[in-house]
Amino acid sequence: MKYLVTGAAGFIGAKVSERLCDLGHEVVGIDNLNDYYDVGLKLARLAQLQALNNFRFIKLDVADREGVAALFAQQGFQRVIHLAAQAGVRYSLANPLAYGDSNLLGQLTVLEGCRQHQIEHLVYASSSSVYGLNQKLPFSTADSVDHPISLYAATKKANELMAHSYSYLYQLPTTGLRFFTVYGPWGRPDMALFTFTQAMLASEPIDVYNGGD
């Protein structure tokens, strides 16, 4: 099976690519290698992947409509795992347009590539942030997600709606995964696990957002 993995230099994308290669699949990974966090960490993940014979990396931004269209036309993918996105809730307050480019336009270019080339299945990253002001616990996939409280969350809800419409219109199987706090080796350094640990090791106070709520 030939897979496209977007965001392949990211924490989840790198692990997914590695697992697919271990299972014997052919993987083409793309990433724009932006500097939202240390690019060196992304390059280190890629170095491990590029040692695998069945992995190929192409530097490409999912918001590049022509580039993504050409990639789909040239590569003959069978399945797509779309993990590329501008991450971070708080960063969306400082740089909202980055979320429009990566999360909205990027999702649409991938959906169009899948539609035009009869992709068997698209799996894409949504987020637990779509639950927003939902007060019911534990969360359920049946819960309303109509009240996002960040632009990041709003783009992820939009991703789900876009995928739903493409599934309905073009019979494209899509699966959205609402990730919560994902952690582990090679994880994102801006996540709570790492920032809390670094503060403790340095005997510094831990930043608590939203008054601890």
Side-chain angles (χ1 to χ4, degrees):
M1 192 77 67
K2 187 170 185 178
Y3 282 82
L4 168 64
V5 176
T6 74
F11 171 41
I12 301 174
K15 295 305 293 184
V16 168
S17 297
E18 179 184 31
R19 179 64 173 155
L20 289 172
C21 288
D22 288 345
L23 291 172
H25 299 293
E26 182 182 357
V27 177
V28 174
I30 67 170
D31 203 293
N32 68 357
L33 299 177
N34 72 27
D35 61 358
Y36 172 69
Y37 64 84
D38 183 11
V39 176
L41 179 56
K42 299 179 182 183
L43 294 174
R45 295 186 191 119
L46 279 178
Q48 289 198 329
L49 290 172
Q50 289 176 310
L52 304 174
N53 292 331
N54 47 345
F55 178 83
R56 179 187 174 202
F57 176 69
I58 299 172
K59 185 178 180 182
L60 181 64
D61 193 320
V62 288
D64 179 348
R65 286 181 287 182
E66 291 77 14
V68 172
L71 180 75
F72 272 90
Q74 294 163 5
Q75 293 295 329
F77 302 118
Q78 293 163 283
R79 295 183 180 178
V80 174
I81 302 179
H82 176 40
L83 301 170
Q86 178 56 59
V89 173
R90 290 180 299 278
Y91 185 62
S92 66
L93 298 174
N95 194 1
L97 294 181
Y99 292 77
D101 291 339
S102 185
N103 299 9
L104 298 177
L105 181 56
Q107 175 87 346
L108 188 56
T109 62
V110 170
L111 284 167
E112 267 296 287
C114 292
R115 176 178 80 89
Q116 297 287 350
H117 297 280
Q118 294 75 53
I119 297 301
E120 295 176 8
H121 193 168
L122 166 66
V123 176
Y124 66 94
S126 184
S127 168
S128 61
S129 66
V130 300
Y131 291 107
L133 292 175
N134 187 348
Q135 298 298 309
K136 184 180 78 63
L137 293 173
F139 295 141
S140 166
T141 54
D143 291 344
S144 170
V145 289
D146 292 332
H147 304 285
I149 55 174
S150 69
L151 178 63
Y152 172 75
T155 64
K156 288 300 185 178
K157 171 64 186 293
N159 286 173
E160 294 184 3
L161 294 173
M162 293 159 72
H164 185 275
S165 65
Y166 267 69
S167 294
Y168 178 80
L169 290 170
Y170 307 115
Q171 293 73 56
L172 168 66
T174 65
T175 302
L177 304 176
R178 290 176 177 170
F179 295 126
F180 282 71
T181 299
V182 184
Y183 67 94
W186 295 88
R188 264 175 46 201
D190 61 312
M191 300 297 281
L193 175 74
F194 295 97
T195 59
F196 285 16
T197 302
Q198 287 166 353
M200 287 186 284
L201 290 173
S203 297
E204 297 174 347
I206 293 171
D207 289 331
V208 178
Y209 297 99
N210 197 35
D213 293 329

